[in-house]
Amino acid sequence: MDILETDAYDRRQRRNMSCALFLSLLPFFVASAVYFYLWTPDSPASIMSAGVKSAPTLLLALVVLSWNGAHSVLGVAGGLLFSAVGDCCLVWKELFLYGMGAFAVAHLLYSITFLTSRYATYSSSSLNRFLYLILFVAAVGFYVYMFPFLQKAPNSEVIIPAVGVYMLLIILMGSLAIKTRHAATLLGSLIFMASDMALALQIFKVMPHMEHGNTIVMVTYYLAQLLIAVGDVKAVENKDDFSKWKRS
């Protein structure tokens, strides 16, 4: 098989994989649509609302498990499962800290995954270091801006350090996503940060109530998780392409 035939075969394989992946993601799209159809601003906290909210994330975890195997429980699939736990906790305001803890574990699992050999790794460049610096400065600036509002929280003595640790973990996740240079993974991580910032601004009453505030948070959240999941499924494919480029 010559180079042209090999290239054509690889393109067919990628097309087939993309089609199969899209079909496996259909339940996620349906579950997301169901959530937005059923959710209303005055929806009471209940087991049903928690289940509907966490269903899209659980379905993404199943997709990653089906493509990457049981070992992904200690990676992105596990992160998605912890995210689903966080989704359920955030339905009840009194469980906010538990939800934040679940998402912190998810970010840690994502970070560990981005360091594994499944992702093609690149040497750190000046551009990467510049992006790391931007992330860090933006996060510190946001935390400083939020600090007066965190002090007003009922359990501020716990909230203030907890939010600080959480922000460090999500910055770590975003920095390692940059290092992979994988578009879906990087975009997913950055959108996740934007979603969390939008949520924090509303939870800690930094801004007045927004009519579509929850919609903004959940659309960006589901999109972020989708991109991270797709990035993980395609990580091996991209690594193989990187290996071929190095051998050529």
Side-chain angles (χ1 to χ4, degrees), residues 62-205:
L62 290 177
V63 170
V64 175
L65 280 170
S66 67
W67 280 84
N68 293 342
H71 66 85
S72 59
V73 170
L74 297 177
V76 167
L80 289 165
L81 291 174
F82 272 99
S83 295
V85 173
D87 290 337
C88 291
C89 290
L90 293 186
V91 169
W92 290 272
K93 293 181 179 179
E94 61 271 21
L95 298 181
F96 175 77
L97 276 173
Y98 296 99
M100 188 165 62
F103 280 114
V105 174
H107 294 318
L108 188 58
L109 288 172
Y110 291 159
S111 298
I112 293 170
T113 305
F114 299 160
L115 285 171
T116 62
S117 59
R118 294 184 61 254
Y119 286 78
T121 55
Y122 301 81
S123 58
S124 184
S125 65
S126 57
L127 176 60
N128 281 8
R129 288 190 288 271
F130 179 67
L131 293 175
Y132 300 153
L133 180 61
I134 289 177
L135 275 185
F136 182 77
V137 170
V140 170
F142 185 75
Y143 184 74
V144 170
Y145 176 70
M146 289 284 300
F147 192 79
F149 299 93
L150 298 177
Q151 288 179 310
K152 297 176 184 177
N155 49 350
S156 59
E157 68 283 354
V158 178
I159 285 289
I160 290 173
V163 170
V165 171
Y166 181 85
M167 290 192 70
L168 286 175
L169 288 173
I170 199 169
I171 292 170
L172 174 65
M173 187 266 289
S175 298
L176 293 175
I178 291 172
K179 190 174 181 181
T180 67
R181 296 190 189 177
H182 191 297
T185 301
L186 175 55
L187 280 175
S189 301
L190 295 178
I191 294 172
F192 209 137
M193 292 181 191
S195 178
D196 276 357
M197 287 180 178
L199 177 63
L201 291 173
Q202 296 175 63
I203 288 287
F204 298 108
K205 297 178 171 57

Side-chain angles (χ1 to χ4, degrees), residues 1-11 14 244 248:
M1 186 179 291
D2 61 27
I3 294 176
L4 290 177
E5 290 175 334
T6 302
D7 184 58
Y9 174 78
D10 287 343
R11 284 201 303 272
R14 282 194 289 268
K244 290 174 186 176
S248 62

